[in-house]
Amino acid sequence: MMEELSFLDAMAQAELVRKGEVGPAELVQAAVERVERLNPRLNAVITPLFEKALAQACAPGLAAGPFRGVPFLLKDLGCHSAGDPYYEGTRFLRELGWVAQDDTYLARKLKEGGFIFIGKTNTPELGTLPTTEPEAFGPTRNPWDPSRSSGGSSGGSAAAVASGMVPVAHGNDGGGSIRMPASECGIVGLKPSRGRVSWGPDYGDNWQGLAVEFVLSRSMRDTASILDLVSGPMPGDPYYAPPPLRPFRTEVGAEPGRLRIGFMIRAPGGVVPIHADCVTAVQDVARLLESLGHGVEESHPAALDEAEQSMAHIWTLVAASVAGSLDEWSRKTGRAIGPADLEPYNWMVAEMGRSVSAVQLTSGVQWLQGHTRRVAAWWADGFDLLLTPTLAEPPPALGQFKSSAAEPQKVVERVQSILPFTPSFNETGQPAISLPLFWNQGGLPIGVQMVAAYGREDLLIRVASQLEQARPWVGRRPPIHA
């Protein structure tokens, strides 16, 4: 039975607990054993919480939520849990042995849902890179090919889910950081609408609204059910996404009707080359959607081709946010954070942020808001979904994003070359999902991205579950798996 648990999704594991066939402690112990067996090869989990998790699993007061007893991993960035180490991929917090004093609203909702946190997953320093290779903790390896990246910044969580350590894990997405690792590890990665999941109580939003919180999973029913669990406004939130007409879980398997779907196989602005595998993946899924009765045509929002201006303003917001975050950590820790505390790339980003004036920041936000309206007009004009590659290339080899003190700008160029399709929808706040529907001849997963109008996760879930049924991915196992 314990081996059979490895690739059951979270809902199936919770059902076993409800039926009394398996206890929470058995689920947690089995997950701990999987982590201990697989992690030396993958380096996905950097902070084990095994003893605490087992104690919670045995406690009579364990929450009786829909996922009671299901093991879960928190990304070590964003969502923090009371009494647990919290490092954001940095050396300076690790050296200080920083411990979070409270739960975020998201952590609280996950606990109330019955999830048990068994550890924290690896993330790039401050979550700023599309690969998980922090100097503080070393690289997370892709279970499909350990010489390759698992993506970033939720790469530790993605590798853990893909390899079968846990059925679901926390992630967040400020420019593709849920969708990118989902693509590279062959799992499901939904970026919800802006304001769907609260950042409180510490923040109203993050990265000026670019970043969102959620999870990485292996099934659409887990994705939808967890979205029901964690979404909704909390006290003091500055804004929130419109509530769904019915629970997201009911959209799994619901008939989507005939939809009008546009697809694109060139990068916005045409400035980044797209690998043939990524083009083929989109064309393949476009044909699949057409066979399911949808109207599919090559079309995309013309405003996406303003990519150069868009990325310049996005970089302004990110850089200013990183600089502000470091100042906040200096205040919290009582230690002035300097260049010796950070990887060269992140110090460069912070210095960029410190050079941004209030007028530049305000102007950037205003430009991006106007651009959002121009992009959104394509959906308002009659399209339901946009289909794109998630990334511009298959999972890259590890080591490509290393920066030296003299060449951090080269890292910026490499970042932009791999993710031309994801940041635009952090800007617009629209929901977007990466689905594992294609593998190349080398056996590497190639994700495809679908994007809906703001607030329409319901439509994404309907179509994604239709694709999941038409081309099931749950049976695929990477070479390194439980």
Side-chain angles (χ1 to χ4, degrees):
M1 169 65 78
M2 293 303 103
E3 287 300 319
E4 294 172 4
L5 292 173
S6 301
F7 281 90
L8 291 182
D9 68 3
M11 290 192 69
Q13 293 192 26
E15 181 66 15
L16 291 175
V17 172
R18 280 193 293 274
K19 290 180 177 179
E21 296 179 18
V22 174
E26 292 174 277
L27 286 184
V28 169
Q29 182 60 48
V32 167
E33 291 173 2
R34 294 194 297 271
V35 173
E36 290 178 330
R37 187 165 70 251
L38 295 171
N39 204 55
R41 299 176 67 186
L42 296 176
N43 192 35
V45 179
I46 51 119
T47 304
L49 301 172
F50 299 157
E51 291 184 8
K52 183 176 181 179
L54 286 166
Q56 290 172 342
C58 296
L62 178 63
F67 295 98
R68 183 173 184 268
V70 177
F72 189 92
L73 288 165
L74 286 178
K75 176 182 178 180
D76 196 22
L77 178 72
C79 180
H80 53 71
S81 49
D84 296 328
Y86 183 70
Y87 303 135
E88 296 192 350
T90 65
R91 293 191 308 273
F92 66 87
L93 288 178
R94 184 181 188 180
E95 290 167 359
L96 289 170
W98 190 262
V99 173
Q101 298 303 305
D102 57 8
D103 288 333
T104 64
Y105 289 152
L106 175 57
R108 186 192 308 172
K109 288 184 177 184
L110 289 166
K111 287 180 178 179
E112 290 170 351
F115 283 114
I116 298 175
F117 304 157
I118 68 168
K120 311 292 286 291
T121 62
N122 203 6
T123 185
E125 186 181 82
L126 303 176
T128 57
L129 285 175
T131 188
T132 299
E133 304 177 56
E135 292 180 2
F137 297 98
T140 293
R141 298 184 179 277
N142 193 317
W144 294 92
D145 179 347
S147 72
R148 294 179 182 266
S149 172
S150 63
S153 61
S154 306
S157 290
V161 172
S163 64
M165 293 182 190
V166 289
V168 289
H170 164 246
N172 35 47
D173 190 316
S177 289
I178 286 175
R179 291 159 290 162
M180 183 189 326
S183 174
E184 294 186 10
C185 291
I187 58 175
V188 177
L190 170 68
K191 180 196 81 68
S193 296
R194 178 181 296 136
R196 179 70 70 197
V197 180
S198 176
W199 275 101
D202 294 345
Y203 303 105
D205 60 22
N206 216 323
W207 281 14
Q208 306 296 317
L210 295 176
V212 296
E213 292 266 63
F214 196 44
V215 300
L216 296 103
S217 75
R218 290 196 296 264
S219 72
M220 286 310 304
R221 67 176 190 168
D222 276 2
T223 297
S225 300
I226 296 170
L227 192 58
D228 284 326
L229 175 69
V230 303
S231 66
M234 295 296 286
D237 283 354
Y239 50 78
Y240 52 90
L245 297 178
R246 59 183 185 174
F248 291 114
R249 176 65 182 87
T250 63
E251 307 299 347
V252 177
E255 173 57 47
R258 177 178 168 83
L259 301 178
R260 188 182 182 195
I261 300 173
F263 72 92
M264 63 186 304
I265 51 178
R266 66 168 179 81
V271 296
V272 174
I274 308 302
H275 194 282
D277 289 344
C278 302
V279 171
T280 301
V282 169
Q283 292 171 331
D284 179 66
V285 174
R287 287 191 295 269
L288 177 58
L289 287 164
E290 200 165 37
S291 75
L292 294 170
H294 301 296
V296 182
E297 58 191 282
E298 190 167 357
S299 176
H300 68 273
L304 287 180
D305 289 324
E306 301 168 34
E308 189 172 349
Q309 292 168 282
S310 175
M311 284 306 302
H313 291 300
I314 288 173
W315 275 112
T316 296
L317 267 61
V318 170
S321 297
V322 168
S325 176
L326 292 178
D327 284 353
E328 182 181 10
W329 277 117
S330 292
R331 290 192 296 271
K332 283 182 178 179
T333 62
R335 166 179 168 177
I337 297 165
D341 297 307
L342 292 175
E343 296 169 21
Y345 170 76
N346 278 321
W347 186 252
M348 180 203 72
V349 172
E351 290 291 272
M352 288 170 54
R354 294 187 181 100
S355 72
V356 173
S357 70
V359 172
Q360 287 173 313
L361 183 62
T362 302
S363 297
V365 169
Q366 289 177 339
W367 190 94
L368 290 170
Q369 289 176 348
H371 187 236
T372 291
R373 288 188 283 274
R374 295 193 293 278
V375 172
W378 184 83
W379 278 265
D381 287 344
F383 281 91
D384 297 297
L385 296 174
L386 176 65
L387 175 70
T388 78
T390 304
L391 301 175
E393 61 188 70
L398 289 166
Q400 295 188 18
F401 297 88
K402 286 287 184 183
S403 67
S404 68
E407 298 181 316
Q409 184 59 36
K410 288 188 176 181
V411 181
V412 174
E413 295 167 3
R414 185 69 183 98
V415 169
Q416 293 184 171
S417 73
I418 196 173
L419 47 82
F421 295 103
T422 56
S424 294
F425 306 108
N426 295 87
E427 170 202 333
T428 66
Q430 293 171 250
I433 192 168
S434 181
L435 296 175
L437 291 165
F438 190 86
W439 272 254
N440 68 11
Q441 291 186 345
L444 295 174
I446 308 292
V448 296
Q449 175 179 242
M450 291 196 305
V451 187
Y454 180 74
R456 293 305 310 272
E457 287 94 332
D458 58 340
L459 189 58
L460 276 185
I461 292 168
R462 278 180 229 157
V463 178
S465 66
Q466 184 183 40
L467 291 167
E468 181 183 33
Q469 184 175 13
R471 187 178 292 172
W473 54 72
V474 69
R476 286 188 175 268
R477 303 282 188 274
I480 302 175
H481 69 271

